[in-house]
Amino acid sequence: MRNLEFKEQLHEYSQWRSQLIQAIEMYQEWRQRYAMNDIHSTEMLLNILHGLESDRITLAFVAEFSRGKTELINALFFAETGVRLLPSSPGRTTMSPTELFYDEKGGHYIRLLNIESRLEDISLSEYKKKPERWNQIDLDFDSPTQMQEAFKELVATKRVPREVADKLGLWNEKEAAEQGIVNPETVEIPCWRHALISFPHPLLKEGLCILDTPGLNALGTEPELTLNMLPSAQAIIFVLAADTGVTKSDLEMWRNHVSNTRGERKQGLAVVMNKIDAMWDDLAGDSGYEASIKSQIKTCASILNIDESLVFPASAKQALLAKVKSDDALLLKSRLFALENYLANDILKQRRNIILSTIKRDIGFLVTESSNLTDTKLSNASKQLEEFKKIDFENHEMTDKLMAETRDRQQHYMLNIENFQASRKVFSVQAKILVDSLSSERIDEIIKNMRIEMAKSLTTYGMKQSMRKLFDELREVLQDCVDTTNETRRLVKAIHKKFQDEYGFKEIEPQLFSIKQYQFELEQIFEEGEAFRNSARTTMTEQSIVINKLYSTLINRARTILKTANKDATTWCNSVLTPLMHQIKDHKKQIESRLQMLRKINESKGSVAENITQLEQELEPLKRQRNELSTIIKAMQMEPPPSMIENN
């Protein structure tokens, strides 16, 4: 029953997203219909639409071995199959990080990436673009038994020479010694590095994506998981065992790979204290059992430094059994409902807020521009109508005077257009300096030189120094942009103010480009990388492939951030003056329309009453345009601009 609530919430979220997409498509069509679109605003809207259409709710499940994590996934999402869909029997733990989702175009499959791919200098994200590099097993969604059998491949292992395991970062001499294993000839390792699973489960079709990450060993040897995939998940569910509490390896995983991906507020983070059924036989009775649960929650929250409300005691095993057998009493006793409510209410709500704030940030200024331009058109047309109603058109001297004044305004306008074009040329030069300072050629040259230097390093210390030097140089790149950005911003404001003062143009606050966001992101990944590098697991494998993978991951993320900065700067430079150009264009039309109307009246073409009626009729499409925009803004769930509220 409780999981049905999560399904309903996810379905509602999916419908909400579809309605949002439809509203943005309506806005795009509105801009085209009223000649307000341009190549840059169109591209921006298409990017937003593409992001919404490909949006997934990613829930990442993280735990050490034998915490019941995979059983928890089965209980939460796949109980209606009537079988234990993902392998979670004792001794059969998922060995490779696994992503479950629905790939509508690709079909139903398991794709498995060979563990040996770690030796290649190719990221997981790049591998995902190359299906031919994966071993594929087709799935029959109508046969849970066939799927269950196919999923057993996820736990496949093989034995390899110890030297091979060492190269792959999968041999830890100290840990092995603690288990009584000394100098073995062969070592058991996972067959697969990563698994991708696609099938049309209702929740997956609604946009749910599940990331199952197995153990500290996987997180400690795959920097891309910790530095890319976990931070991008909407929620991380960290699973502990109630009977063991927070172990040393749990705490290491939490500190180095989980906690720092969520920031100080720990938003989108839950801790599941699983296997509470191990405490059901407690001789202390119900009251003693409850006291033990509360004590465990308090201790766990204290050690992990999180709020007690984010710790969820549960029994995944009993919850799965209860759902398969439709045993409501057992389901209630398993306590899974609290976690389901958290996912349904908190996580989906957070995702909505993030999407809306992103849309507001990316296209809010476009909506404000559209609203202001529409209001200005309607306001100017209304003023002209009222003015014409008061004029004595029988007095030809007066109409001649009005004609002369309007022609003067037209000439003055043309003169200032030349000044504007000159200002735009100055802006173009400044804009090019800004864009060039973030060019991929400049960034790639810095990265290339650092790679050469890093290749010469024989020690981790040397690599670390190279990485630090790289980030110092990338910081300088962004710092160089600051002065250029400030100068460009001042120029944009000056151009806007000129037309506002001289023509009474409605003030449209220009969207201003900022470097701060990219500086913050660059510092953040460097700090994350340092925390990862200094983790106990990485320290034990200092000379392994892990270090190279770590640096490659950091470099790729840094490059992506700077590439985004370059793209955003280019888009901003190309579009920041567009709202002003639209106002200039409308101002020109207004003057021409006024001249045409005065000529018609002066030449006695039609009565004054007819011309006034024509002006009144011209107001109707402007009112309709404004009302349509008001409806669309509400559909996009954005706050209407102040001018729209005032005029309603």
Side-chain angles (χ1 to χ4, degrees), residues 12-23 25 52:
E12 187 184 298
Y13 170 83
S14 182
Q15 287 185 315
W16 169 84
R17 189 180 59 211
S18 296
Q19 289 165 0
L20 195 57
I21 288 170
Q22 189 179 28
E25 287 174 340
L52 284 171

Side-chain angles (χ1 to χ4, degrees), residues 393-549:
F393 286 103
E394 298 300 319
N395 185 336
H396 289 288
E397 283 185 17
M398 182 178 285
T399 54
D400 288 343
K401 184 183 176 185
L402 285 172
M403 285 277 285
E405 285 176 357
T406 308
R407 285 200 183 99
D408 283 346
R409 281 171 63 186
Q410 191 178 41
Q411 286 176 358
H412 183 60
Y413 166 82
M414 295 308 294
L415 184 66
N416 276 277
I417 279 293
E418 290 178 19
N419 292 335
F420 172 74
Q421 296 292 10
S423 297
R424 195 161 69 163
K425 282 181 183 176
V426 174
F427 172 77
S428 296
V429 172
Q430 194 70 27
K432 188 176 186 305
I433 295 170
L434 173 60
V435 171
D436 287 350
S437 68
L438 290 162
S439 71
S440 56
E441 290 81 7
R442 183 183 180 190
I443 305 304
D444 286 343
E445 183 65 24
I446 293 171
I447 290 172
K448 180 184 171 185
N449 292 338
M450 194 287 298
R451 271 195 179 278
I452 293 169
E453 197 171 306
M454 195 173 83
K456 294 175 184 175
S457 300
L458 300 176
T459 64
T460 299
Y461 176 78
M463 289 188 206
K464 183 177 177 181
Q465 293 302 105
S466 297
M467 178 56 65
R468 188 158 282 161
K469 184 179 176 184
L470 169 69
F471 273 82
D472 284 342
E473 290 188 28
L474 294 181
R475 285 188 190 103
E476 285 176 20
V477 168
L478 287 179
Q479 196 56 47
D480 287 347
C481 294
V482 172
D483 292 340
T484 309
T485 301
N486 289 339
E487 186 61 37
T488 313
R489 285 162 62 129
R490 279 194 291 271
L491 191 56
V492 168
K493 285 183 174 180
I495 294 170
H496 271 256
K497 190 170 189 313
K498 178 181 175 66
F499 275 78
Q500 187 188 332
D501 292 346
E502 294 194 15
Y503 297 114
F505 277 11
K506 199 172 187 75
E507 183 180 0
I508 296 181
E509 185 66 32
Q511 186 199 28
L512 298 177
F513 181 70
S514 173
I515 291 292
K516 286 181 183 176
Q517 176 190 343
Y518 313 105
Q519 288 177 313
F520 172 75
E521 289 177 7
L522 199 63
E523 292 299 329
Q524 195 173 34
I525 65 165
F526 187 52
E527 286 172 15
E528 287 172 6
E530 278 293 279
F532 186 99
R533 200 201 67 79
N534 291 323
S535 71
R537 183 61 48 124
T538 309
T539 303
M540 290 178 197
T541 53
E542 283 285 339
Q543 298 304 316
S544 76
I545 193 173
V546 180
I547 300 297
N548 288 317
K549 289 290 180 191

Side-chain angles (χ1 to χ4, degrees), residues 19-129:
Q19 289 165 0
L20 195 57
I21 288 170
Q22 189 179 28
I24 294 171
E25 287 174 340
M26 285 167 60
Y27 177 58
Q28 186 184 12
E29 190 272 331
W30 181 92
R31 286 181 69 92
Q32 289 173 341
R33 192 164 4 118
Y34 294 110
M36 286 193 190
N37 66 315
D38 57 84
I39 187 169
H40 305 297
S41 63
T42 300
E43 183 184 356
M44 200 172 293
L45 290 167
L46 288 174
N47 285 340
I48 285 278
L49 288 169
H50 176 71
L52 284 171
E53 285 161 0
S54 58
D55 172 63
R56 283 176 176 161
I57 296 291
T58 301
L59 304 181
F61 289 78
V62 181
E64 261 293 30
F65 292 115
S66 303
R67 302 297 188 264
K69 169 178 50 64
T70 306
E71 189 80 326
L72 180 63
I73 295 171
N74 281 324
L76 281 168
F77 308 115
F78 304 127
E80 79 285 348
T81 62
V83 297
R84 184 174 273 113
L85 197 61
L86 300 178
S88 61
S89 302
R92 294 185 66 82
T93 305
T94 307
M95 299 299 290
S96 61
T98 302
E99 293 177 70
L100 296 100
F101 52 88
Y102 177 51
D103 177 3
E104 190 174 359
K105 294 178 182 176
H108 319 156
Y109 57 77
I110 300 178
R111 286 181 185 157
L112 300 158
L113 185 63
N114 284 317
I115 192 70
E116 287 79 11
S117 64
R118 281 189 176 184
L119 299 173
E120 298 181 60
D121 193 17
I122 302 174
S123 66
L124 282 172
S125 54
E126 284 299 310
Y127 272 121
K128 288 176 185 179
K129 298 172 187 175

Side-chain angles (χ1 to χ4, degrees), residues 227-262:
L227 300 178
N228 282 3
M229 297 174 75
L230 289 184
S232 63
Q234 274 68 61
I236 298 178
I237 294 90
F238 186 64
V239 187
L240 301 167
D243 52 352
T244 60
V246 184
T247 67
K248 182 182 175 183
S249 59
D250 288 330
L251 190 57
E252 184 190 338
M253 182 183 281
W254 173 266
R255 285 176 176 168
N256 295 315
H257 306 292
V258 178
S259 180
N260 58 6
T261 66
R262 296 287 105 176

Side-chain angles (χ1 to χ4, degrees), residues 346-364:
D346 291 49
I347 299 304
L348 293 179
K349 185 179 178 182
Q350 283 172 19
R351 185 60 183 161
R352 284 194 195 209
N353 292 338
I354 288 168
I355 284 177
L356 287 176
S357 63
T358 300
I359 289 172
K360 185 177 179 181
R361 183 194 70 207
D362 290 351
I363 62 172

